[in-house]
Amino acid sequence: MQGAHPEALDLPLPYPVHCRAGARHSVGEIARLAAPSHRVAVISDHTVARLHANAIAAQFPTESTRVFTIPPGEQEKTRTRWAELTDALLEWGAGRDTTVIAVGGGVIGDLAGFVASTYMRGLPVIQVPTTLLAMVDASVGGKTAVDTPFGKNLVGAFHNPSAVVIDPEMLVTLPDDILRSGLAEMIKHGVIADAPYFDAVLRFAHAIRAHGAAAPDFVATITTLIVGSVRIKADVVAEDTREGGLRQILNFGHTIAHAVERVLNFELLHGDAVAMGMVAEARIAESIGLAREGLAVAIADAVERAGLPSRMPVGVSLDDIISATHLDKKARLGAARYSLPRGIGEMEAAEGTWAVAVTDEAVRAALTSP
Ligand code: GLY
């Protein structure tokens, strides 16, 4: 999908993905090419609006552009906020000739994407991720959703963006813990597909842990790594957009992560949950004889090197976690299934299903063994 977008990455996706320092200044130009429209609805949160979204809105004509904001935080990714934003668009008079620009982290990308996917049966959306996690994961691939009290992302739709605009310079204003949280999905990409990429992330993770965005050569190095992650993800979603099989490998670590997030009322950073989820699921993979011995320790070392947690928070009940896994989207016939690694860079194909049924007893045994 380069054609009209010569500066986009060369990826097997039906929409352009731009990733370069300063790309935020070209959102207007990219949107006019990718999704020309009568009106522009910029959706963001209060914090990101001040930092970036208002400036991005200023790249469009004032009279036909409006910024809609919600408070920041995972707890805002709800059906209530979806309804409020939809009503605000209706009140404004937005028609089908409106483009939504989602400017924010994964919460805004998923929520604004879901608003766009359902509004009048579908508006174009341009994803402008502002966190590392959203740059390497949520903004690419067309998943949109809201959370419910029953679990994460349980109500949503597949709705490809018309374009993705990633500007790694935006990361320099991120708090260190939010920046680190994005490293979890990058480590995941290495585990599921690419051992040299895993090593490259680890080499830089230590510098980020020590210096945050003030690490030497931060923007140049993180840009290369983001492009690496986006390529891995693009190759997977190009083959299986609607998660019938292969795409489930992107879910490595997430069966446990989503369960922990739900049990802790979404108060944990998603990257922290994914970090501990990857270690737990690698232990499961080893304990059922799928993964090579030592994999869980290698992943635990990696997440710790990035300053991420490798263990569940003390006091979280394993029973609650196991029962929350039953509502995971990969579950079938009431039984949880997991996307599991065999080693760094290699996932279990499970005869083309890419998800392995694991009994609750086996999960309990794996997670309680010393
Ligand atoms: N975040 C996993 C996926 O996009 O499939």
Side-chain angles (χ1 to χ4, degrees), residues 1 17 44 71 83 127 157 164 174 183 196 218 258 265 275 286-287 320 343:
M1 186 36 185
V17 179
S44 191
Q127 293 284 354
V164 181
L174 271 192
L183 291 169
F218 175 77
H258 285 165
N265 291 319
E286 274 186 51
S287 76
D320 289 349

Side-chain angles (χ1 to χ4, degrees), residues 137-138 140-141 143 185 188 233 237 243 247 250-251 254:
D137 186 31
V140 175
K143 278 188 178 175
E185 297 285 0
K188 177 195 82 181
K233 179 154 187 186
V237 299
E243 208 168 45
R247 186 168 181 166
L250 293 169
N251 235 261
H254 283 63

Side-chain angles (χ1 to χ4, degrees), residues 148-223:
T148 80
F150 296 94
K152 285 248 317 180
N153 299 333
L154 292 182
V155 177
F158 288 102
H159 185 61
N160 271 341
S162 295
V164 181
V165 185
I166 301 172
D167 183 348
E169 275 179 3
M170 287 167 141
L171 298 175
V172 300
T173 51
L174 271 192
D176 284 353
D177 57 338
I178 310 281
L179 184 63
R180 267 200 313 270
S181 168
L183 291 169
E185 297 285 0
M186 298 166 87
I187 291 170
K188 177 195 82 181
H189 287 139
V191 175
I192 65 170
D194 190 334
Y197 179 75
F198 179 84
D199 292 338
V201 172
L202 287 204
R203 280 195 295 276
F204 199 49
H206 194 64
I208 291 189
R209 181 182 183 171
H211 307 289
D217 293 324
F218 175 77
V219 173
T221 310
I222 205 74
T223 301

Side-chain angles (χ1 to χ4, degrees), residues 41-65:
V42 177
I43 299 183
S44 191
D45 70 41
H46 301 336
T47 311
V48 176
R50 264 184 282 112
L51 289 168
H52 302 296
N54 294 335
I56 287 171
Q59 297 172 27
F60 297 91
T62 319
E63 62 286 359
S64 54
T65 303

Side-chain angles (χ1 to χ4, degrees), residues 21-361:
R24 67 188 180 285
H25 303 299
S26 305
V27 174
E29 198 185 316
I30 292 165
R32 275 184 285 278
L33 279 174
S37 63
H38 172 56
R39 291 181 195 237
V40 173
V42 177
I43 299 183
S44 191
D45 70 41
H46 301 336
T47 311
V48 176
R50 264 184 282 112
L51 289 168
H52 302 296
N54 294 335
I56 287 171
Q59 297 172 27
F60 297 91
T62 319
E63 62 286 359
S64 54
T65 303
R66 192 170 284 190
V67 180
F68 300 86
T69 58
I70 62 163
E74 181 74 37
Q75 63 286 356
E76 304 299 333
K77 205 174 109 179
T78 60
R79 284 170 286 190
T80 305
R81 291 290 179 206
W82 166 83
E84 284 171 9
L85 286 165
T86 301
D87 288 353
L89 285 173
L90 289 166
E91 212 170 1
W92 184 42
R96 267 207 177 146
D97 51 358
T98 300
T99 291
V100 172
I101 317 269
V103 185
V107 170
I108 288 296
D110 284 6
L111 176 61
F114 188 48
V115 169
S117 77
T118 48
Y119 192 86
M120 296 191 180
R121 298 205 179 91
L123 300 181
V125 59
I126 311 262
Q127 293 284 354
V128 186
T130 59
T131 63
L132 184 56
L133 194 139
M135 289 178 186
V136 297
D137 186 31
S139 62
V140 175
K143 278 188 178 175
T144 74
V146 290
D147 301 335
T148 80
F150 296 94
K152 285 248 317 180
N153 299 333
L154 292 182
V155 177
F158 288 102
H159 185 61
N160 271 341
S162 295
V164 181
V165 185
I166 301 172
D167 183 348
E169 275 179 3
M170 287 167 141
L171 298 175
V172 300
T173 51
L174 271 192
D176 284 353
D177 57 338
I178 310 281
L179 184 63
R180 267 200 313 270
S181 168
L183 291 169
E185 297 285 0
M186 298 166 87
I187 291 170
K188 177 195 82 181
H189 287 139
V191 175
I192 65 170
D194 190 334
Y197 179 75
F198 179 84
D199 292 338
V201 172
L202 287 204
R203 280 195 295 276
F204 199 49
H206 194 64
I208 291 189
R209 181 182 183 171
H211 307 289
D217 293 324
F218 175 77
V219 173
T221 310
I222 205 74
T223 301
T224 306
L225 291 174
I226 292 167
V227 170
S229 256
V230 169
R231 280 194 196 291
I232 290 169
K233 179 154 187 186
D235 285 345
V236 173
V237 299
E239 203 163 307
D240 176 22
T241 305
R242 297 183 71 85
E243 208 168 45
L246 179 69
R247 186 168 181 166
Q248 293 178 114
I249 67 173
L250 293 169
N251 235 261
F252 166 54
H254 283 63
T255 312
I256 295 289
H258 285 165
V260 177
E261 286 176 282
R262 186 200 154 191
V263 170
L264 294 179
N265 291 319
F266 306 118
E267 279 167 12
L268 200 62
L269 288 175
H270 180 61
D272 288 6
V274 170
M276 54 185 83
M278 287 192 292
V279 177
E281 293 183 18
R283 288 177 70 184
I284 294 170
E286 274 186 51
S287 76
I288 62 172
L290 265 185
R292 291 184 267 287
E293 210 176 304
L295 179 69
V297 169
I299 296 175
D301 283 351
V303 302
E304 283 166 14
R305 191 158 348 157
L308 294 163
S310 59
R311 292 179 171 278
M312 309 281 174
V314 178
V316 175
S317 142
L318 189 53
D319 284 337
D320 289 349
I321 290 175
I322 288 174
S323 101
T325 63
H326 296 165
L327 260 180
D328 183 84
K329 290 185 287 307
K330 294 183 298 310
R332 295 289 180 273
L333 305 172
R337 296 188 314 150
Y338 293 75
S339 271
L340 294 175
R342 286 185 161 276
I344 304 290
E346 188 194 347
M347 294 297 282
E348 166 60 29
E351 294 173 353
T353 66
W354 299 96
V356 181
V358 184
T359 63
D360 292 349
E361 292 66 39

